[in-house]
Amino acid sequence: MATTGASRDAFGTRAGFILAAAGSAVGLGNMWRFSYQASEGGGAAFVLLYIGMTIILGIPLMLAEFGIGRRGQSAPVGALRRVVGPHSALVGWLGAVGSLLILSYYSVIAGWTVRYALEALFVGFPGDTGAHFGAVSAGGSAAAFHVGFMVATLLIVMAGIKGGIERVSLVLMPALFFIVAGLAVWAVTLDGAGEGYSVYLKPDVGDLMNPSVWRAAAAQAFFSLSLGMGAMMTFASYLDRQANLPQSATIVAYTDFGVAFVAGLVVFPVIFSFGLQGAVGASTVGALFIALPSAFDAMGAIGRVVGTAFFVALVVGALTSAISMLEVVTASFIDEFKVPRRTAATAAAILATLLGLLPALDTDVLGLMDKIAGEFLLVLGALLLAILGGWLVRKQMLEELAAGASPWWAAQVPRILAVLRFVVPPIVAAVLFFSARETVTTVVDFFRG
Ligand code: PHE
């Protein structure tokens, strides 16, 4: 199916590609990071800005990645070199490094969710969830589950695009949608859910004006849509020219927002119904790993069923995202060093596993890595991609993005590209400025202890 390189892997179906891209997007970011950021950013104000950023920044940037990836028929390093020019290969390497860094701590958090899911299923939730989280999140257990999760990710990536990533996404993604929707329906029945909904859905004008909420919403949109480090570019490189790229980008972006939004409809009512607001703001992981489990524990048998479903959904989301990060690095190794997929994937997984031991042993390191790689590098990557795709290779993009699109979607391409040229760069540049400041402060605080 690929147009170059007889042996290059490819997606078998359109749905397979869309679900794999949605699988990359929907992940811990939708539940762990989104609910935390939303509670920090005043709930509804954050949610509103976040949907705006998804549409205005997310869709054009995703389209730029899709266009460069499909045209380049190569991992980001090679795709950028071919489509834009030799120097931009550096942006591809930046993406590969970013992917590796994010994967390393992402797998640690994913490991915690695996342990929570198994415990929910076999022994139930503990009474003291704060102390329990302390035990789960640092040291030997965290390292062991991190390694286990990485091995599962590696096995899927080794099986290739069609036989591994596509196959797994076609089954797991519908299952995840089903679980999250079911949980939201259940949350309606909770006493006191109303207060949770109102914090989540009623924006505070003061928060809407706060630049730090803007920065957080934009950065969260990039993280959640897997943009800025070449994951979407890598997946699109396995497509042929029949795929409708603008339509696919739109579907993936709305799906990702939809899952985050619906997950909020679960998290907020549960937290308010059990009066757990305090446990949420306390740490990046408070909502998911401390407040929610303590609510599930208080609910008895039902809590165990619901809690198991919740953590299984998290594991599924984490897995389909982690495979996309490992794929970026794997594909870069395959295309640049001409090594077999198995070798490339194994090398990438070993690197990510070793790097991940640091955040596994110290959650402060995890927060630091999330700031640097999960926020700053993504925003930087997004800015560079907007400039490359929107300005340097605009003609090729106009042509590439219309190829395979239906007439209506093809007609949207120039509009979306105009947004990519004129609207995206100034906003992302402003976000980058605030994000750089935040990141420096975080790094300085970290080293001062
Ligand atoms: N989008 C994923 C999530 O929301 C995380 C991710 C970031 C995946 C960057 C790939 C690249 O969990």
Side-chain angles (χ1 to χ4, degrees):
M1 240 179 128
T3 51
T4 54
S7 59
R8 195 168 158 82
D9 211 338
F11 281 105
T13 62
R14 228 174 85 74
F17 165 69
I18 292 182
L19 286 176
S24 170
V26 173
L28 294 174
N30 298 61
M31 298 165 188
W32 156 62
R33 222 165 174 280
F34 178 77
S35 57
Y36 163 68
Q37 299 269 352
S39 59
E40 283 241 298
F46 177 85
V47 178
L48 210 64
L49 288 172
Y50 173 70
I51 177 76
M53 299 291 186
T54 298
I55 297 170
I56 296 169
L57 307 179
I59 293 177
L61 278 164
M62 192 179 295
L63 210 50
E65 289 209 20
F66 279 179
I68 296 172
R70 184 173 70 176
R71 200 171 183 90
Q73 292 287 308
S74 170
V77 180
L80 285 160
R81 187 190 297 122
R82 256 182 228 170
V83 178
V84 189
H87 299 304
S88 62
L90 219 68
V91 180
W93 282 119
L94 184 76
V97 170
S99 300
L100 196 67
L101 286 172
I102 298 178
L103 175 60
S104 68
Y105 70 81
Y106 198 87
S107 162
V108 172
I109 306 169
W112 304 341
T113 65
V114 172
R115 177 160 167 189
Y116 270 74
L118 290 173
E119 284 178 345
L121 191 60
F122 295 111
V123 290
F125 289 98
D128 185 349
T129 51
H132 184 66
F133 177 67
V136 168
S137 63
S141 161
F145 279 91
H146 155 61
V147 173
F149 181 83
M150 195 70 84
V151 169
T153 308
L154 173 62
L155 291 176
I156 298 169
V157 171
M158 270 187 174
I161 299 301
K162 193 162 164 212
I165 295 178
E166 178 169 358
R167 232 213 233 145
V168 166
S169 306
L170 282 168
V171 177
L172 291 186
M173 290 314 290
L176 184 145
F177 298 146
F178 186 76
I179 298 175
V180 175
L183 288 169
V185 172
W186 160 82
V188 176
T189 64
L190 290 171
D191 280 340
E195 200 195 330
Y197 290 132
S198 91
V199 171
Y200 185 43
L201 302 173
K202 250 201 254 135
D204 172 331
V205 183
D207 286 330
L208 271 179
M209 295 300 162
N210 183 344
S212 130
V213 179
W214 280 67
R215 174 198 52 79
Q220 172 63 13
F222 299 145
F223 184 89
S224 190
L225 293 167
S226 311
L227 294 173
M229 38 152 273
M232 293 297 175
M233 201 185 287
T234 306
F235 275 1
S237 75
Y238 299 112
L239 283 178
D240 62 24
R241 294 194 107 203
Q242 252 93 63
N244 185 337
L245 297 181
Q247 184 192 41
S248 305
T250 309
I251 295 176
V252 172
Y254 280 103
T255 303
D256 183 59
F257 174 78
V259 174
F261 184 75
V262 175
L265 291 175
V266 180
V267 172
F268 279 81
V270 173
I271 285 170
F272 279 85
S273 143
F274 287 83
L276 295 164
Q277 298 85 308
V280 176
S283 71
T284 50
V285 288
L288 217 52
F289 295 100
I290 300 171
L292 284 175
S294 86
F296 294 142
D297 179 51
M299 276 179 255
I302 306 235
R304 214 166 136 186
V305 174
V306 171
T308 305
F310 186 85
F311 281 101
V312 167
L314 275 172
V315 171
V316 168
L319 189 61
T320 54
S321 297
I323 55 184
S324 76
M325 294 181 237
L326 186 59
E327 180 60 30
V328 174
V329 189
T330 301
S332 306
F333 289 174
I334 296 175
D335 291 342
E336 294 305 307
F337 307 133
K338 311 286 175 245
V339 287
R341 172 168 282 273
R342 287 174 159 264
T343 315
T346 309
I350 290 175
L351 282 174
T353 304
L354 294 177
L355 263 172
L357 291 176
L358 299 169
L361 300 175
D362 182 351
T363 45
D364 289 340
V365 175
L366 196 156
L368 186 70
M369 291 177 80
D370 184 45
K371 256 281 168 290
I372 297 173
E375 182 174 317
F376 179 72
L377 286 182
L378 291 189
V379 179
L380 178 64
L383 180 62
L384 294 171
L385 286 171
I387 294 168
L388 296 181
W391 291 91
L392 296 188
V393 292
R394 189 178 75 100
K395 288 241 169 61
Q396 286 102 301
M397 285 298 105
L398 276 172
E399 196 245 338
E400 183 66 39
L401 295 171
S406 64
W408 189 84
W409 283 105
Q412 309 311 311
V413 167
R415 297 194 185 128
I416 303 177
L417 275 182
V419 177
L420 184 69
R421 278 159 78 77
F422 299 108
V423 183
V424 175
I427 301 181
V428 181
V431 171
L432 186 66
F433 170 76
F434 286 110
S435 176
R437 251 187 14 183
E438 265 273 320
T439 306
V440 170
T441 321
T442 312
V443 172
V444 169
D445 285 352
F446 178 84
F447 286 106
R448 282 212 187 119

